[in-house]
Amino acid sequence: MGANNGKQYGSEGKGSSSLSSDISSSTDHTPTKAPKNAATSEGLDSSTRTLSTPSPGLILPSKSSSLSSPALSSNGHGSNSSSSSSAPAETVAAVIHPQPGGCPTTAATGTTTHLRSKSQSKSHHHHHHLAPVDLLPDHALLQIFSHLPTNQLCRCARVCRRWYNLAWDPRLWSTVRLAGELLHADRALRILTHRLCQDTPNVCLTLETVVVSGCKRLTDRGLHVLALCCPELRRLEVAGCYNISNESVFEVVSRCPNLEHLNLSGCSKVTCISLTPEASLQLSPLHGQQISIHYLDMTDCFSLEDEGLRTIACHCPRLTHLFLRRCARLTDEALRHLSLHCPSIRELSLSDCRLLGDFGLREVARLEGCLRYLSVAHCARITDVGVRYVARYCPRLRYLNARGCEGLTDHGLGHLARSCPKLKSLDVGKCPLVSDGGLEQLALYCQGLRRLSLRACESVTGRGLRALAANCCELQLLNVQDCEVSPEALRFVRRHCRRCVIEHTNPAFY
């Protein structure tokens, strides 16, 4: 009977969609608690017998060889037991583990372990030696499991039948976080989503957040799985996954209507955000082609051009946070589309977009009262003219990074101080034309200032710092590295702004 059961389990596992043909036949035998009797094991329905727990190696390679799957070598690279030659290095464990408490089977031989008798499993001796953690109630274990990362949660599911059932509680799987440059992320996502879809076939209604940033082996196939299985997805982070292309991104935003947070930084193949043609045809004219994304990070998406940003602006009118750092192909014309279609933007980063100038800032200023955060660091074409536009029309600005804007002078800083009295953080480092006069204007009108960087501002002296310290008592960070300021001026700042951290390069001040 045990042998037949083992064969039946193996045949069902082979037919399961999660057990794809590229999975190795080697099986990691984790010690499990045996069922009470053979009849109980045979009585499990097919949906229970085919449940499988992804190995922790699918999520992150184990650092300790004692915790690694036998399918992993000591350095975390996978090996194929069915091949005579060594397989290419891979951190995804080619193993699917059976449900704890079932009959462990070896795929290569089809043999099964002997079941312990019912009397032995219920013996007083066994109860006497329960681990303290086994005495905890289910709700306490669930609370503990809720703080574990994805790979450790999968590891807990291999301990025993009770932990297996608790570890796969849907309430614990609103978030999946994967990491590792060598991780086979496509396979990991496919197996995880298959397991999470077993209670609701073909769809996972619990998963809302997926973070796979840094998984460089992630491809469009992995995002295709998420698009098909996770319609409730709200947050997706794939930073540094440079194999991702427009095709899979379009599919995700089309099939996940609740997606609000999308991080594509470093995905250099992505050139815009849009719906698939099929999704566009299904929308009513009243709905338009809107995407519900609020937060979009496209830092280091080097292929993004003006036309791509126009498409993004037209399809994502609800944007509130947009980060376009080092998108060096963007010009002033691209920003006109933002002001026309995305009036709710609160935070905007254009750092190192070196083709942007004062005309672009005039378009940004059309965002008016909504804008709170603006970064134009190292945009060398920006001068007092552009800063004056922003200061005039964005009075609620709280943060401005203009580091490296060498055309900015005390005149522009004065306009900013008078028009944006609620300014909390300002970076004008490497602006050689900013001097004590501009700092005195800041001290007079922006007394709530908390963070100020004046790094490498060669014209700043102790006079400007004393004015700041006397009026801006809430100052918490002051960067005066590579500035010619005296130790006495720095001591004055320290006396008047006791909570202020002073970053400096003056060896005489300590």
Side-chain angles (χ1 to χ4, degrees):
M1 179 181 297
N4 293 335
N5 188 27
K7 292 178 181 178
Q8 184 180 10
Y9 182 90
S11 64
E12 287 177 2
K14 186 175 181 181
S16 174
S17 61
S18 69
L19 305 180
S20 55
S21 59
D22 62 335
I23 301 295
S24 170
S25 61
S26 61
T27 303
D28 180 10
H29 291 291
T30 304
T32 60
K33 185 183 297 184
K36 295 180 180 180
N37 52 44
T40 304
S41 178
E42 278 189 335
L44 295 176
D45 59 17
S46 61
S47 64
T48 302
R49 284 198 301 272
T50 57
L51 296 184
S52 57
T53 304
S55 165
L58 284 166
I59 315 304
L60 273 180
S62 176
K63 295 181 180 180
S64 172
S65 59
S66 63
L67 295 177
S68 297
S69 165
L72 296 177
S73 60
S74 60
N75 62 358
H77 292 166
S79 61
N80 191 344
S81 62
S82 62
S83 174
S84 59
S85 61
S86 219
E90 188 175 78
T91 59
V92 178
V95 177
I96 301 297
H97 301 281
Q99 180 183 5
C103 297
T105 63
T106 304
T109 62
T111 61
T112 64
T113 61
H114 294 290
L115 299 176
R116 290 182 298 175
S117 67
K118 182 176 181 179
S119 59
Q120 287 178 330
S121 64
K122 286 191 171 183
S123 67
H124 172 75
H125 178 76
H126 175 73
H127 178 74
H128 182 70
H129 287 84
L130 282 176
V133 70
D134 290 330
L135 302 177
L136 292 176
D138 287 355
H139 69 84
L141 281 175
L142 282 174
Q143 182 65 27
I144 295 172
F145 288 174
S146 68
H147 297 284
L148 296 179
T150 301
N151 62 313
Q152 295 301 326
L153 196 55
C154 288
R155 190 177 298 278
C156 287
R158 301 170 61 197
V159 173
C160 62
R161 180 184 294 273
R162 182 191 178 207
W163 280 34
Y164 179 93
N165 292 329
L166 291 175
W168 288 108
D169 189 296
R171 290 170 292 182
L172 299 178
W173 291 94
S174 62
T175 298
V176 166
R177 295 180 183 274
L178 308 180
E181 292 187 1
L182 298 179
L183 173 69
H184 199 316
D186 292 346
R187 185 183 301 176
L189 287 175
R190 184 175 68 249
I191 295 174
L192 279 172
T193 52
H194 174 75
R195 175 57 186 86
L196 295 173
C197 287
Q198 289 196 350
D199 292 333
T200 51
N202 301 323
V203 63
C204 177
L205 299 178
T206 60
L207 193 56
E208 296 182 351
T209 298
V210 174
V211 179
V212 286
S213 296
C215 297
K216 296 183 177 180
R217 298 182 69 178
L218 180 72
T219 68
D220 288 343
R221 291 190 295 272
L223 289 194
H224 175 73
V225 170
L226 292 179
L228 290 179
C229 300
C230 306
E232 298 299 321
L233 197 65
R234 294 180 178 273
R235 183 185 184 109
L236 177 62
E237 297 187 18
V238 291
C241 302
Y242 47 73
N243 291 313
I244 298 300
S245 70
N246 285 348
E247 180 183 355
S248 61
V249 174
F250 290 5
E251 190 171 13
V252 168
V253 299
S254 298
R255 291 179 175 268
C256 303
N258 297 323
L259 189 67
E260 296 178 348
H261 182 114
L262 181 59
N263 186 344
L264 296 170
S265 58
C267 299
S268 54
K269 293 182 179 179
V270 178
T271 60
C272 68
I273 308 293
S274 179
L275 296 172
T276 60
E278 296 80 6
S280 300
L281 291 175
Q282 295 174 2
L283 295 176
S284 64
L286 293 177
H287 184 277
Q289 296 186 1
Q290 295 186 2
I291 299 172
S292 59
I293 292 176
H294 294 174
Y295 179 107
L296 178 60
D297 190 344
M298 296 191 69
T299 297
D300 292 322
C301 290
F302 308 119
S303 301
L304 181 64
E305 298 181 348
D306 290 356
E307 182 59 26
L309 189 57
R310 185 193 69 80
T311 303
I312 292 172
C314 292
H315 285 83
C316 306
R318 302 179 187 177
L319 278 175
T320 58
H321 296 69
L322 180 60
F323 302 95
L324 303 170
R325 306 178 189 95
R326 292 181 291 280
C327 293
R329 298 184 182 183
L330 296 179
T331 69
D332 293 336
E333 177 64 22
L335 299 181
R336 185 172 65 86
H337 302 295
L338 285 181
S339 60
L340 286 175
H341 301 287
C342 304
S344 302
I345 291 181
R346 295 169 56 89
E347 297 191 12
L348 177 63
S349 178
L350 303 167
S351 299
D352 294 283
C353 296
R354 300 179 184 272
L355 298 181
L356 301 182
D358 293 331
F359 178 81
L361 277 195
R362 187 181 72 176
E363 297 301 322
V364 169
R366 296 180 186 274
L367 296 172
E368 298 183 347
C370 285
L371 196 64
R372 300 288 191 276
Y373 171 109
L374 177 63
S375 177
V376 289
H378 305 296
C379 296
R381 297 185 180 186
I382 289 176
T383 68
D384 289 343
V385 175
V387 173
R388 186 174 179 177
Y389 279 124
V390 172
R392 180 177 180 181
Y393 293 104
C394 304
R396 298 182 181 180
L397 195 67
R398 299 289 192 276
Y399 174 101
L400 176 63
N401 184 350
R403 183 191 321 123
C405 296
E406 298 182 354
L408 181 61
T409 71
D410 290 341
H411 184 68
L413 208 56
H415 277 288
L416 183 69
R418 289 190 295 271
S419 301
C420 303
K422 295 183 179 181
L423 198 65
K424 299 295 182 183
S425 179
L426 177 64
D427 189 342
V428 288
K430 298 184 180 180
C431 294
L433 301 180
V434 170
S435 67
D436 294 336
L439 298 188
E440 289 171 344
Q441 293 288 308
L442 280 176
L444 185 60
Y445 295 103
C446 299
Q447 298 184 3
L449 195 65
R450 295 181 181 178
R451 302 171 67 90
L452 177 63
S453 176
L454 302 168
R455 182 169 185 170
C457 290
E458 303 167 353
S459 302
V460 170
T461 68
R463 191 188 85 194
L465 293 187
R466 288 188 175 90
L468 279 172
N471 292 276
C472 302
C473 300
E474 297 181 19
L475 201 62
Q476 297 176 3
L477 177 64
L478 176 64
N479 187 336
V480 288
Q481 292 176 326
D482 301 318
C483 293
E484 297 295 330
V485 293
S486 65
E488 291 75 23
L490 296 179
R491 294 190 184 98
F492 186 89
V493 173
R494 186 167 60 185
R495 284 197 303 271
H496 286 76
C497 305
R498 296 187 177 276
R499 295 189 299 170
C500 183
V501 176
I502 303 175
E503 297 178 352
H504 65 93
T505 52
N506 192 327
F509 175 70
Y510 51 88

